[in-house]
Amino acid sequence: METSYDLRFVVISILVAITGSYAVLNIFPSFTKKENETRFISLTTGVLMGLGIWTMHFIGMKALTAKLEIKYDIVITILSILPAALGASLAFYTLIPKPKKVNRPSQKRLLISAFILAISISIMHYTGMAAMMMSAKISYNSVIVILSIIIAFVASYISLGYFIDLNFSRYTSKQAKIFPAILMGIAISSMHYTGMLATSFIPDPTVSNKSSLLLNEYSIYGLAFYCALLLILASLLVAITATKTN
């Protein structure tokens, strides 16, 4: 089945990913004083990043134009945010230096963190795809699926590495963190759209999409745009706080 994309929503989805990344990277500390603080910040930034990944995904799905009625299983849709939030939390926890130690994260920790983040983005994407209910089967090109994960890993590694360089620089401004946020947003978006390139929709009227726990596409997209608004407000709050701090 042929599909196409609305460029407007593609651009919006990428901007949402960048916005969420910017908010997260500005909260991220050079070090923490206590282990409980490390865990709290990791969870907070992870949930915020997870929300950004989840929102980007479903706004990206809004960009998809297909000749089928698409609905979403509400349980799978809600659960799909968990891999992104928990994975991002673990990735950031790995990257934050131990309490009271302002040491630059090692190359090993950076690689592990980038790998965890890439896997969490990928799991969220394919879980979100599994939530789609329509009269069609979904098949994937395994080579492109693997490529999408590799792209997410490489982009995550570069963006996190660049961010660490800035975070441990004596003369870093908050504005300088816009660039790694853009890289992180591109990492999330690249995985999504490469993953979509790996996807084929095969019409099949025998596939049932009837369930009492379904959201129509307008409901899920409305929820995604609401989350996007929350991310924008969070980013504005972070930017204002950073300006006052400076």
Side-chain angles (χ1 to χ4, degrees):
M1 182 181 68
E2 292 186 1
T3 57
S4 60
Y5 290 90
D6 187 325
L7 184 59
R8 296 171 299 174
F9 290 107
V10 170
V11 172
I12 291 173
S13 69
I14 296 172
L15 290 176
V16 165
I18 293 172
T19 300
S21 299
Y22 177 77
V24 167
L25 295 182
N26 273 286
I27 295 172
F28 197 86
S30 295
F31 72 100
T32 54
K33 295 180 180 180
K34 298 179 180 180
E35 177 63 20
N36 287 341
E37 182 183 353
T38 303
R39 293 173 180 171
F40 176 76
I41 292 176
S42 298
L43 183 60
T44 302
T45 53
V47 169
L48 191 57
M49 177 61 79
L51 182 62
I53 295 169
W54 186 93
T55 304
M56 180 275 142
H57 174 86
F58 285 103
I59 292 181
M61 294 309 297
K62 172 62 178 173
L64 176 70
T65 302
K67 297 179 180 179
L68 286 173
E69 181 185 15
I70 300 174
K71 295 182 180 181
Y72 292 88
D73 184 293
I74 188 171
V75 176
I76 299 176
T77 298
I78 293 173
L79 290 178
S80 67
I81 197 173
L82 293 180
L86 295 177
S89 296
L90 180 58
F92 292 136
Y93 181 79
T94 302
L95 209 57
I96 296 177
K98 294 181 180 180
K100 299 182 181 180
K101 293 184 179 181
V102 193
N103 295 330
R104 178 189 173 87
S106 66
Q107 190 69 17
K108 179 181 178 180
R109 286 169 60 190
L110 175 58
L111 284 168
I112 293 173
S113 182
F115 177 77
I116 294 172
L117 186 58
I119 293 299
S120 66
I121 294 171
S122 302
I123 293 176
M124 186 278 122
H125 173 81
Y126 291 107
T127 304
M129 294 298 291
M132 296 178 73
M133 297 288 120
M134 54 189 170
S135 298
K137 294 180 179 179
I138 300 177
S139 65
Y140 295 100
N141 182 313
S142 57
V143 174
I144 302 180
V145 168
I146 294 172
L147 178 62
S148 71
I149 298 173
I150 293 173
I151 288 174
F153 169 73
V154 173
S156 295
Y157 175 79
I158 294 173
S159 60
L160 287 174
Y162 188 87
F163 169 70
I164 288 172
D165 287 339
L166 287 175
N167 210 34
F168 285 84
S169 172
R170 186 177 299 178
Y171 305 104
T172 300
S173 66
K174 294 294 181 180
Q175 289 74 20
K177 294 179 181 179
I178 293 176
F179 183 64
I182 292 174
L183 289 177
M184 184 70 74
I186 291 174
I188 297 168
S189 305
S190 296
M191 187 279 134
H192 174 85
Y193 289 108
T194 305
M196 292 306 297
L197 183 63
T199 307
S200 296
F201 299 97
I202 306 170
D204 187 347
T206 64
V207 177
S208 175
N209 63 354
K210 295 181 180 180
S211 171
S212 58
L213 296 174
L214 291 181
L215 288 172
N216 62 44
E217 56 182 319
Y218 298 105
S219 297
I220 193 68
Y221 300 148
L223 179 60
F225 279 104
Y226 175 74
C227 291
L229 178 60
L230 290 179
L231 285 171
I232 292 171
L233 292 176
S235 295
L236 287 174
L237 180 61
V238 167
I240 292 172
T241 304
T243 301
K244 289 183 177 180
T245 302
N246 292 336

